[in-house]
Amino acid sequence: MSKFTLAVVAGASAAVGAATTAAIYGLGGSRRQTPETQSVTTTTTATRTGSPLPAPQRDGPHTPGPIVPPVDPSGVFQYGFPGPVNDLHSAVSLTSAFDRAKRNPHWVAEHITPASLLLRNGDRRHSYFAEDQAIPEKFRAKLTDYARSGYDRGHQVPAADAKWSQEAMDSTFWLSNMCPQVGEGFNRDYWAHFEDFCRRLTSFYPSVRIVTGPLYLPKREADGKWRVSYEVIGHPPNVAVPTHFYKIIFAEDGKTGGNVSLGAFVLPNAVIHNDKPLKDFEVPVEAVERASGLEFAGLLPPARRRRLCDEINCSVIVKEYAERQRTMMTPPPAKSGQAGTGLAQR
């Protein structure tokens, strides 16, 4: 697919029932970024009585020298920095940035390897959904927001990707790693199959990095105009319901300065039939960047980029929800040429 616009991305999703990493590098352990504020100067305020302020003088042939501004807009910083503030979170199993306005993450990044998926030290039966106490109370998503909403608390980084320790698994259950997702037909079905596809990539790549997050894409209304419309859940309404979700996949060959196979996918937050080809949701990375306002691969030189679906058969394996709940995840499949992988190198 070439040269996507937001309208094209949204329109492509309509066919399945919905109207439709550079930022990762260099993140420290700090919980938040606090923008530096410049020094504040005090300005003189005119009173209602007294002489009026003189009109500002413009530069011209008879007014040499730079103009001295009669105002100081940055003086508002003395009362606090308005934002936006991205709540950066670095945990053992994920790194994320939180959107305070929509009470959803901007993005959540994870890293999986064959070794990390083989470990079984975490058990989701010991994990509990929890509000993220590090986010200010007035901005965080709450457990009550999801109660009787009709939506699942949809993991952005799956718990099944963090079985290597109980602490790692527990951190995937914070609501800052959640978005409202359609349950049956999406979160419990096609989206879960997609997550399984990502895990199976470790059969061919020694290192797989994934960035996942929500999108709010426009829909064409009856009057022919495009508008962004999404539901908000909670009492009072707090948490935005995304119209779509994206995954950016960086499949690394494991060599220093080696090649990276890139894959970008946008799925509607709606029921998707299991026979829908995954490649129907493949889009250019640039399309997700334009839609989200984020950048994912600005530091990856074109010479090192490969297209994931040119190297791997991008398709999902359908596993019924009840069976998946019993097994949680099959062991990573063997490499190409052995049965049962569901993936094949081209």
Side-chain angles (χ1 to χ4, degrees):
M1 301 172 108
S2 61
K3 294 190 177 180
F4 274 65
T5 62
L6 294 183
V8 172
V9 174
S13 299
V16 296
T20 332
T21 297
I24 304 173
Y25 298 127
L27 293 181
S30 174
R31 185 68 174 132
R32 288 182 176 76
Q33 279 184 330
T34 303
E36 293 184 2
T37 57
Q38 58 192 61
S39 59
V40 177
T41 58
T42 304
T43 56
T44 303
T45 304
T47 60
R48 292 184 179 274
T49 59
S51 302
L53 290 174
Q57 299 297 313
R58 296 182 178 274
D59 289 333
H62 304 296
T63 56
I67 185 172
V68 177
V71 296
D72 176 23
S74 298
V76 73
F77 292 161
Q78 66 186 298
Y79 306 114
F81 182 75
V85 175
N86 291 320
D87 296 281
L88 292 180
H89 180 197
S90 184
V92 291
S93 60
L94 58 85
T95 300
S96 66
F98 190 73
D99 183 345
R100 292 184 172 190
K102 294 183 174 67
R103 275 75 171 177
N104 285 323
H106 285 296
W107 52 264
V108 189
E110 60 172 317
H111 182 209
I112 56 177
T113 65
S116 73
L117 295 179
L118 284 174
L119 294 173
R120 296 289 190 275
N121 299 321
D123 188 337
R124 68 179 296 148
R125 290 176 297 182
H126 303 312
S127 298
Y128 302 93
F129 290 100
E131 298 173 13
D132 192 336
Q133 300 295 321
I135 296 173
E137 192 275 338
K138 63 183 175 180
F139 297 126
R140 75 173 71 123
K142 301 179 174 62
L143 292 169
T144 54
D145 291 330
Y146 283 89
R148 296 179 294 279
S149 68
Y151 292 96
D152 284 4
R153 291 165 292 199
H155 286 71
Q156 302 303 280
V157 170
D161 291 2
K163 288 185 175 182
W164 51 272
S165 85
Q166 190 62 48
E167 179 188 1
M169 180 167 286
D170 289 346
S171 65
T172 68
F173 279 82
W174 293 332
L175 292 189
S176 56
N177 183 45
M178 306 289 161
C179 290
Q181 287 187 327
V182 171
E184 187 173 354
F186 185 65
N187 181 47
R188 306 173 202 172
D189 295 284
Y190 202 94
W191 184 254
H193 308 327
F194 185 24
E195 292 172 336
D196 182 67
F197 163 81
C198 294
R199 286 189 285 271
R200 291 173 181 274
L201 290 173
T202 59
S203 298
F204 304 111
Y205 301 95
S207 174
V208 178
R209 303 181 190 275
I210 306 166
V211 184
T212 306
L215 291 173
Y216 309 86
L217 297 185
K219 173 185 175 182
R220 193 166 206 161
E221 304 289 354
D223 61 3
K225 296 181 179 180
W226 293 84
R227 295 182 177 88
V228 176
S229 176
Y230 53 85
E231 185 180 350
V232 182
I233 62 173
H235 304 284
N238 288 302
V239 183
V241 179
T243 64
H244 294 72
F245 290 93
Y246 68 84
K247 278 188 183 290
I248 309 293
I249 299 172
F250 303 82
E252 302 169 337
D253 66 8
K255 302 174 183 177
T256 302
N259 296 328
V260 179
S261 298
L262 275 174
F265 301 86
V266 173
L267 282 67
N269 189 11
V271 173
I272 302 176
H273 295 295
N274 285 331
D275 59 357
K276 188 70 176 175
L278 178 60
K279 288 190 68 174
D280 286 0
F281 303 109
E282 184 190 9
V283 300
V285 173
E286 293 77 14
V288 183
E289 290 177 331
R290 289 196 299 270
S292 64
L294 306 171
E295 283 194 283
F296 300 101
L299 297 182
L300 181 62
R304 294 178 55 199
R305 299 189 186 198
R306 301 293 184 270
R307 180 170 170 259
L308 180 68
C309 292
D310 284 344
E311 300 185 338
I312 290 295
N313 180 20
C314 290
S315 61
V316 298
I317 295 178
V318 176
K319 184 183 294 185
E320 294 302 324
Y321 181 65
E323 178 189 353
R324 193 170 60 253
Q325 286 296 92
R326 287 193 301 269
T327 63
M328 292 309 302
M329 188 195 78
T330 58
K335 290 204 172 186
S336 179
Q338 299 185 23
T341 64
L343 296 174
Q345 287 182 308
R346 294 185 180 277

